[in-house]
Amino acid sequence: MSKRSGILEFAILGLLRESPMHGYELRKRLNTSLGVFRAFSYGSLYPCLKTLVSQGYLVEETGGPEVDPLAAPLAGRRAKIVYRLTAAGKEHFEELLAHSGPDAWEDEHFAARFAFFGQTSRDVRMRVLEGRRSRLEERLEKMRASLARTRERLDDYTLELQRHGMESVEREVRWLNELIETERAGRTKPPFGDQD
């Protein structure tokens, strides 16, 4: 399984853990809740759903009372298929949620993992946050070393682009430090914006 399809599987299971959904609603939630998934199309979503059904993690239900009652009916079209998480799917998602290894720290995985931190245990959140910070600090050190070696050969615009990249990583490290401090202090609200 590719990294990208693994992320999609994780996000689908996480969203369906909240409530059953049809494919269109699931795609909409992926796009709005987890911006990192904007690039996923129906062409990648539905094969992933079919795979999860074949693995026993999801079941397909046609129409029925679980379909969103506010959704406009589609005249002349077949009933929508609603996807629901099975007990095995819930267990599999719990296993994925408990994983805190290096792939959970990578750019795309981290964003998806972070979106489900509300469902993740504190010790796993800490390992993922600390792993992500460590990974970014390594990246920052490499960027600084590379810039020191090549600074004289770079034009002003390339140099500015390098500086911008380093500032972005530094900002994320500061943000992670705040999140880690919040977790360690046992506070329930992350330090977003001005919350008093």
Side-chain angles (χ1 to χ4, degrees):
M1 176 186 321
S2 74
K3 263 188 186 182
R4 199 153 171 87
S5 63
I7 297 166
L8 182 57
E9 174 186 317
F10 176 80
I12 288 170
L13 294 173
L15 289 173
L16 290 177
R17 183 180 185 204
E18 296 169 8
S19 69
M21 288 180 233
H22 55 78
Y24 175 78
E25 179 64 21
L26 192 54
R27 181 170 183 251
K28 194 166 86 173
R29 290 281 312 275
L30 286 168
N31 288 335
T32 57
S33 303
L34 311 170
V36 71
F37 291 98
R38 278 188 212 112
F40 284 114
S41 65
Y42 288 112
S44 57
L45 175 62
Y46 285 103
C48 187
L49 287 168
K50 294 293 181 196
T51 299
L52 292 170
V53 167
S54 72
Q55 292 172 331
Y57 298 143
L58 303 179
V59 292
E60 296 176 328
E61 299 170 342
T62 311
E66 293 188 48
V67 175
D68 183 359
L70 301 177
L74 301 174
R77 298 208 178 167
R78 64 186 176 141
K80 291 183 181 177
I81 295 173
V82 175
Y83 295 91
R84 185 178 48 80
L85 205 58
T86 64
K90 288 176 186 172
E91 185 177 318
H92 182 60
F93 181 68
E94 293 296 325
E95 290 168 4
L96 295 173
L97 209 52
H99 176 71
S100 61
D103 63 325
W105 313 334
E106 297 301 330
D107 295 339
E108 285 187 351
H109 267 280
F110 178 74
R113 292 300 302 263
F114 192 79
F116 293 99
F117 261 24
Q119 301 175 40
T120 307
S121 69
R122 183 177 175 278
D123 62 317
V124 171
R125 285 193 310 261
M126 283 297 291
R127 285 194 303 270
V128 171
L129 289 171
E130 288 172 343
R132 175 71 176 167
R133 180 179 62 186
S134 174
R135 181 65 43 93
L136 289 178
E137 287 171 341
E138 290 170 12
R139 185 182 301 169
L140 193 55
E141 189 57 38
K142 288 178 185 174
M143 292 170 86
R144 287 179 178 140
S146 174
L147 186 60
R149 283 192 314 272
T150 60
R151 179 183 284 280
E152 301 80 36
R153 294 183 297 231
L154 300 177
D155 65 55
D156 290 342
Y157 296 103
T158 306
L159 190 59
E160 189 60 29
L161 185 61
Q162 295 289 326
R163 198 167 57 81
H164 173 70
M166 285 189 348
E167 287 173 358
S168 296
V169 175
E170 288 168 344
R171 262 192 313 277
E172 187 171 347
V173 168
R174 283 192 304 272
W175 174 69
L176 289 165
N177 285 335
E178 291 172 9
L179 290 170
I180 290 167
E181 163 123 2
T182 298
E183 289 289 335
R184 283 190 180 137
R187 290 178 284 203
T188 57
K189 280 189 176 180
F192 301 129
D194 295 319
Q195 297 179 355
D196 292 319

